[in-house]
Amino acid sequence: MSNFIVRKVAVLGAGVMGAQIAAHCVNAKVPVVLFDLPAKEGPKNGIVLRAIEGLKKLNPAPLGNKDDAVCIEVANYDDNLELLKGCDLIIEAIAERMDWKHDLYKKVAPFIAPNAIFASNTSGLSITSLSDGFDAELKERFCGVHFFNPPRYMHLVELIPTAATQPEILDQLEGFLVTTLGKGVVRAKDTPNFIANRVGVFSMMATIHEAGKFGLSCDVVDDLTGTKLGRAKSGTFRTADVVGLDTMGHVIKTMQDTLPDDPFAAVYKTPAVLSTLVAAGALGQKTGAGFYKKVGREVQRLDFATGQYVTGGGKADDLVARILKEKDPGKRMKALRESTHPQAQFLWAIFRDAFHYIAVHLEAIADNARDIDFAMRWGFGQKLGPFETWQAAGWQQIATWVKEDIDAGMALCAAPLPAWVFDEGARTGVHSADGSWSPARKANVPRSTLAVYARQPFRAPLLGEGVADGSKAGTTVFEDDSVRIWHQGDEVLIFSIKTKMHAIGAGVIDGLSKAIAEAEANYKGLVIWGADAAEGGAFSAGADLQAMLPLFMSGGVKAIEPEVAKLQACFQRMKYANVPVVAAVAGLALGGGCELVLHTARRVASIESYIGLVEVGVGLIPAGGGLKEAALRAAADAKGNDLLQFLKVYFTNAAMAAVSKSALEARQMGYLKPDDIIVFNPYELLHVAKVEARAMADAGYRPPLQKLVPVAGRYAIGTIMMQLVNMRDGGFISAHDFKLGQMIASIVSGGDVDQGSLVSEQWLLDLERKAFMELLNHPKTQERIMGMMQTGKPVRN
């Protein structure tokens, strides 16, 4: 076996996609050189330099740490082509013009290293046609690698070979994309727009067509086709605005030009409204106007009839919204089909159109049904792919209804459903335990067996496969409504929180104590991991305020204090456990969730980890040891230097409720340590965390020794207080924010003691708990807690 190591990547083209692909390589610590044309004025690399500056301003941020922008090497095609010889992967990402790409390829081909992979990030041009003119040897190392925008956040990458592409090239590239860049890879056939854009843009076109047929405005359509259908919040028209109406127009034109014989070709006609908007320069979000336009604080929508912008905010009718809340997929689809309400008829029509399209085109565009479902889930933010939706609603019944609509002339074209859809009435779906249906192979195709997937103990679930997920797999040691303690038949115990948003209440604290004791007695280590970590779940959103309310109502503040003390003791027990406790962090780790993370022996974090002490938002201060850990980390950072300078960072993070925008930023903020591991593929999180736990145990892990910690004392409190007074008197913070800041400053500084005093961890915990109890009795804090529980938003009082 030989290793494939990408030592350096070159990205050709510093446009929106090229620059962001380069940024994500830097996130993953992959050296990258970004090329573009030489600038006509100013520095010769000016185009690339401006693109890199632009990365720092984009939102959502392409860089996990903006300071890493300097790690992108700049280059131009006149002076720096020699740099390509040191690159193992070259990704072309210039504009979607076949002639421009061919001109560039002629220029760079002589400089591509003999074993380098050359790939195009085209969104829909033929990969085979792009390779025209290459010698046979370079053709074997050329393929398509289609990232979705924005590359850091979108999980999907489509990998597209030509007939000449060496299979091992694809396998090597897939391994790099999956583990190093954290992507979900789908192998697509070399057909126009590949899989996701082919199906996704058709679905958008069909939705626009059906919206016009049923007289629905864009805001109503977006409300109907967004989260209510388990799809991206942006729905249809707002998604088009985000993508860019010119980009959408280009993808549509590709379908028009390359698919004239497609039975759905009539649907590929560019909508008149889209042409009008593009001609007027209203290209969507990037120009400030498209189907929507922001006027002051108001978001207006385009009126299709007049072409003017009018007040938006239209919603689904209550009747239709109730239908969509039906939990049984079959009953929900039946109700939509049988309803006479135009919105319900519209929804059934877009489902029918999508089912019809994917059935007709599956064999041509994908190897199997799984690839279409993952492409739509990972590329278009759908909770379930179209085949999964069809199968969940009852395969044969839906197929019959679609056929009836085709026969009645109600569908978008007269093409019949393929015979395999019915399979003599025996088919129950396209996904099963032995794989997903492939019409070309006339068999179910199992998942990829590439070595990289051995790192994913629970791969992306697919409805119909019936495979156990992380919430049920393995052997359960203990389980109740709050937690599950389990293992996979090896030496590492796993602790999973089951509460909503993995909130921490009494049951979680009791369960964690059980897990620590069990791990110390029988296992090498303990991993804290959420079964929904890879599917967008939270690590822990913090303390369960709702569960705390009955206790507070019955016994007041005095009833709460023992629970806080119990939480502190549990986290201390975890910190000093005799086996390593590893937090596998993904998503939100806020408040108590952040404190849980801080007390583990090691942290393995998904790059998309949002970590912070946010208690001030509900008028409280951290009381689970978060401020104690801040004091300890500041002292460790200072190494005998002026402690206050290091303490200010931790104070500011807590006082401002600052939350990291990535795991890389969390490391910068001090929530993650330099030796903590950052993982790019969330499906690998559990694997890496268990490897870390075992490695620590095998290296003879011992918990840290409890030591007294030096604190900055009243000197630091006074200095911070002067800044707080200025902020309060300047109107930047409220009187209650001032009080919270004062308490946080006092705790992280060690209280009313001399500078340089040595205090115990328990001393700091006692300060936390005392301040927490005082605040819990404060009317302003109670207002904030109730406001958060009622609205989910912080109250500023």
Side-chain angles (χ1 to χ4, degrees):
M1 186 185 83
S2 60
N3 288 337
F4 173 69
I5 299 173
V6 177
R7 291 162 296 182
K8 193 171 188 178
V9 171
V11 178
L12 310 181
V16 174
M17 282 300 289
Q20 290 193 71
I21 292 170
H24 195 54
C25 287
V26 166
N27 288 337
K29 295 184 180 177
V30 178
V32 64
V33 54
L34 180 60
F35 281 82
D36 212 301
L37 295 165
K40 294 178 180 177
E41 297 178 359
K44 212 164 182 186
N45 288 320
I47 293 173
V48 177
L49 289 169
R50 285 193 295 274
I52 292 172
E53 280 303 304
L55 290 172
K56 301 175 186 177
K57 301 169 187 173
L58 281 177
N59 187 29
L63 289 159
N65 178 357
K66 290 183 181 180
D67 294 343
D68 287 342
V70 298
C71 298
I72 300 175
E73 189 175 355
V74 299
N76 68 77
Y77 303 128
D78 279 2
D79 303 332
N80 308 116
L81 290 178
E82 285 286 336
L83 292 173
L84 292 175
K85 293 180 178 179
C87 297
D88 302 294
L89 172 61
I90 299 164
I91 301 172
E92 171 271 306
I94 69 170
E96 294 287 86
R97 283 272 301 268
M98 185 79 73
D99 53 342
W100 290 359
K101 290 179 188 285
H102 277 152
D103 288 344
L104 179 61
Y105 294 173
K106 288 173 188 173
K107 187 177 289 188
V108 303
F111 299 89
I112 297 174
N115 295 314
I117 297 175
F118 187 28
S120 174
N121 182 58
T122 177
S123 60
L125 296 179
S126 166
I127 305 301
T128 301
S129 297
L130 285 173
S131 70
D132 287 347
F134 289 172
D135 60 35
E137 196 271 336
L138 184 54
K139 274 190 176 184
E140 291 180 343
R141 294 182 283 114
F142 182 73
C143 63
V145 56
H146 180 210
F147 288 82
F148 273 64
N149 191 22
R152 170 184 160 187
Y153 301 94
M154 297 302 289
H155 193 57
L156 177 66
V157 171
E158 291 177 314
L159 202 52
I160 312 103
T162 70
T165 307
Q166 291 180 4
E168 57 265 33
I169 291 295
L170 297 172
D171 293 347
Q172 290 170 342
L173 190 50
E174 184 164 350
F176 171 75
L177 291 167
V178 169
T179 286
T180 306
L181 298 189
K183 298 302 169 189
V185 172
V186 165
R187 303 256 184 130
K189 293 186 179 181
D190 189 13
T191 54
N193 293 333
F194 314 129
I195 297 176
N197 276 345
R198 178 75 175 270
V199 176
V201 172
F202 164 79
S203 295
M204 292 175 76
M205 298 293 290
T207 298
I208 293 171
H209 173 85
E210 301 290 1
K213 178 179 172 182
F214 290 101
L216 304 182
S217 61
C218 57
D219 49 354
V220 170
V221 169
D222 282 351
D223 189 55
L224 286 166
T225 60
T227 54
K228 288 182 172 64
L229 293 189
R231 298 180 182 179
K233 185 179 180 181
S234 52
T236 302
F237 290 98
R238 197 176 300 279
T239 295
D241 273 0
V242 171
V243 168
L245 303 190
D246 53 340
T247 302
M248 185 176 173
H250 171 80
V251 175
I252 293 169
K253 181 140 192 340
T254 300
M255 296 171 84
Q256 292 169 359
D257 293 345
T258 56
L259 298 167
D261 299 324
D262 189 310
F264 292 86
V267 185
Y268 303 155
K269 181 181 178 183
T270 305
V273 63
L274 184 68
S275 299
T276 301
L277 287 169
V278 171
L283 306 181
Q285 186 170 280
K286 59 189 171 186
T287 61
F291 288 111
Y292 294 94
K293 181 179 180 181
K294 195 167 185 181
V295 181
R297 292 188 175 183
E298 182 186 20
V299 177
Q300 297 184 345
R301 66 167 176 87
L302 184 70
D303 184 294
F304 297 142
T306 66
Q308 302 299 310
Y309 289 96
V310 298
T311 300
K315 300 287 184 183
D317 187 87
D318 288 345
L319 171 67
V320 179
R322 284 197 298 273
I323 293 175
L324 293 177
K325 288 180 181 177
E326 167 59 53
K327 292 183 179 180
D328 184 298
K331 291 179 180 177
R332 184 167 61 246
M333 203 67 76
K334 185 174 187 290
L336 290 174
R337 186 171 189 268
E338 294 178 353
S339 173
T340 58
H341 196 290
Q343 292 181 13
Q345 292 177 332
F346 159 78
L347 288 171
W348 160 250
I350 64 171
F351 277 122
R352 176 202 62 218
D353 297 341
F355 299 153
H356 188 189
Y357 192 81
I358 58 175
V360 169
H361 289 297
L362 171 58
E363 184 169 358
I365 68 174
D367 176 63
N368 59 76
R370 176 176 54 249
D371 291 339
I372 286 183
D373 277 344
F374 281 151
M376 296 308 295
R377 279 167 49 175
W378 296 339
F380 280 80
Q382 296 185 3
K383 188 175 181 181
L384 289 180
F387 277 122
E388 289 178 289
T389 302
W390 182 348
Q391 186 164 332
W395 184 269
Q396 288 296 335
Q397 180 61 78
I398 296 295
T400 299
W401 287 339
V402 173
K403 182 179 183 303
E404 288 174 2
D405 279 12
I406 295 169
D407 293 344
M410 297 170 65
L412 292 178
C413 78
L417 291 173
W420 64 260
V421 168
F422 296 97
D423 199 17
E424 298 179 353
R427 179 172 296 283
T428 57
V430 289
H431 304 307
S432 60
D434 63 344
S436 297
W437 175 251
S438 170
R441 304 192 201 188
K442 294 182 171 53
N444 285 343
V445 177
R447 299 261 190 137
S448 169
T449 57
L450 286 178
V452 67
Y453 294 110
R455 297 170 57 86
Q456 299 184 13
F458 304 105
R459 294 169 73 168
L462 200 62
L463 190 144
E465 281 189 334
V467 179
D469 60 27
S471 66
K472 302 179 183 68
T475 301
T476 300
V477 175
F478 172 82
E479 185 171 15
D480 61 13
D481 291 340
S482 298
V483 304
R484 181 178 180 233
I485 303 169
W486 58 289
H487 63 82
Q488 294 178 284
D490 54 23
E491 302 165 310
V492 178
L493 193 64
I494 304 168
F495 177 76
S496 297
I497 303 174
K498 294 171 55 180
T499 55
K500 184 178 180 181
M501 297 290 284
H502 301 171
I504 299 170
V508 173
I509 297 167
D510 289 344
L512 183 54
S513 297
K514 282 187 176 72
I516 295 166
E518 177 66 23
E520 287 183 327
N522 298 305
Y523 296 86
K524 281 189 173 182
L526 174 65
V527 167
I528 302 173
W529 175 78
D532 55 356
E535 302 296 321
F539 177 78
S540 172
D544 190 345
L545 295 175
Q546 198 79 41
M548 193 190 296
L549 190 60
L551 197 62
F552 179 75
M553 296 299 290
S554 62
V557 173
K558 289 183 178 179
I560 301 294
E561 186 165 9
E563 297 303 313
V564 176
K566 195 174 179 182
L567 173 70
Q568 291 180 338
C570 178
F571 284 178
Q572 286 294 95
R573 170 91 169 84
M574 176 171 63
K575 180 177 180 179
Y576 293 104
N578 290 304
V579 294
V581 181
V582 177
V585 187
L588 299 175
L590 304 179
C594 175
E595 292 174 306
L596 174 57
V597 168
L598 294 176
H599 285 82
T600 54
R602 181 67 53 85
R603 288 140 292 276
V604 173
S606 164
I607 183 173
E608 301 310 331
S609 295
Y610 313 110
I611 306 172
L613 297 169
V614 297
E615 285 83 353
V616 296
V618 287
L620 293 168
I621 56 99
L627 299 181
K628 177 262 297 180
E629 285 297 306
L632 267 61
R633 292 185 180 207
D637 294 344
K639 297 183 176 66
N641 295 310
D642 181 10
L643 180 54
L644 178 58
Q645 299 310 310
F646 296 89
L647 195 62
K648 281 181 178 178
V649 175
Y650 293 95
F651 163 77
T652 302
N653 287 342
M656 302 298 291
V659 176
S660 70
K661 296 181 179 66
S662 71
L664 296 168
E665 190 177 46
R667 178 181 280 161
Q668 210 175 22
M669 295 168 71
Y671 290 131
L672 297 180
K673 292 185 176 180
D675 59 349
D676 288 333
I677 308 298
I678 295 177
V679 172
F680 277 67
N681 196 316
Y683 292 102
E684 296 184 354
L685 196 61
L686 179 59
H687 166 79
V688 177
K690 289 178 66 176
V691 167
E692 281 296 304
R694 275 194 296 268
M696 292 171 75
D698 290 344
Y701 176 80
R702 294 289 302 172
L705 294 172
Q706 297 198 42
K707 296 184 291 187
L708 297 178
V709 58
V711 293
R714 62 178 72 90
Y715 154 72
I717 298 171
T719 305
I720 295 172
M721 287 302 297
M722 285 191 291
Q723 296 174 354
L724 288 173
V725 167
N726 290 336
M727 292 180 71
R728 181 196 62 192
D729 294 349
F732 296 104
I733 60 174
S734 69
H736 198 52
D737 289 327
F738 177 82
K739 181 177 180 64
L740 293 165
Q742 181 182 27
M743 286 182 160
I744 292 170
S746 178
I747 295 163
V748 297
S749 302
D752 187 16
V753 297
D754 292 336
Q755 182 181 2
S757 295
L758 297 174
V759 302
S760 68
E761 290 187 49
Q762 191 58 51
W763 168 270
L764 295 168
L765 288 170
D766 291 344
L767 290 177
E768 278 190 20
R769 195 173 64 256
K770 180 181 176 184
F772 185 87
M773 291 306 120
E774 180 184 335
L775 287 168
L776 204 55
N777 239 349
H778 199 290
K780 293 287 186 183
T781 288
Q782 291 174 9
E783 283 178 22
R784 290 193 183 189
I785 292 173
M786 293 309 296
M788 178 64 77
M789 289 172 63
Q790 289 169 0
T791 68
K793 296 178 181 178
V795 174
R796 292 299 173 204
N797 56 1

